Amino acid sequence: MKPKKLYFDDWLKERVKSPAFKKAYEEEDVRARLALRIAELRKEMKISQAQLAHRLHTTQKVVSDIETFKHANITLLTLQKIAQAFNKRLAIEWR
């Protein structure tokens, strides 16, 4: 007998029924989406992590940590600096 396949979406639907899991997932989801968007914008602009770091007056390691969401707490000020480095306007939306 073949083992039943477990799909991530099905697994997640079950797990988010737990309030504690749902809260933790939503917190990490925001950080992950933000990190991925920063990396995406940088690649669209065709600049390296080192070049972005130079614009932010920081190191390439910090940019790498931000993009891989190892940087635990990105401040609003840091997000504004990143937006300026991309010649973008930072917009925060409540849903």
Side-chain angles (χ1 to χ4, degrees):
M1 179 197 290
K2 287 186 176 181
K4 183 180 175 186
K5 289 184 180 179
L6 179 65
Y7 294 98
F8 178 75
D9 289 344
D10 296 334
W11 175 85
L12 185 59
K13 282 179 192 174
E14 281 301 311
R15 294 299 306 248
V16 296
K17 290 178 183 176
S18 159
F21 181 88
K22 184 176 182 177
K23 182 177 187 266
Y25 175 81
E26 288 172 351
E27 289 172 0
E28 287 303 305
D29 185 54
V30 169
R31 288 179 356 109
R33 288 176 189 269
L34 183 58
L36 291 171
R37 184 62 181 137
I38 291 168
E40 186 179 79
L41 282 169
R42 180 182 58 75
K43 290 173 184 174
E44 285 173 12
M45 295 187 66
K46 297 181 169 81
I47 61 173
S48 68
Q49 287 181 342
Q51 290 168 316
L52 178 57
H54 179 75
R55 292 180 184 190
L56 298 173
H57 306 286
T58 191
T59 65
Q60 180 272 328
K61 170 89 168 87
V62 169
V63 172
S64 175
D65 287 351
I66 289 169
E67 290 185 354
T68 57
F69 60 101
K70 291 177 185 168
H71 198 288
N73 294 306
I74 301 175
T75 66
L76 186 56
L77 180 60
T78 299
L79 291 175
Q80 288 174 317
K81 288 179 182 179
I82 292 169
Q84 288 173 341
F86 291 144
N87 294 315
K88 301 278 186 189
R89 188 176 61 92
L90 178 65
I92 297 174
E93 185 177 315
W94 299 90
R95 293 186 193 190

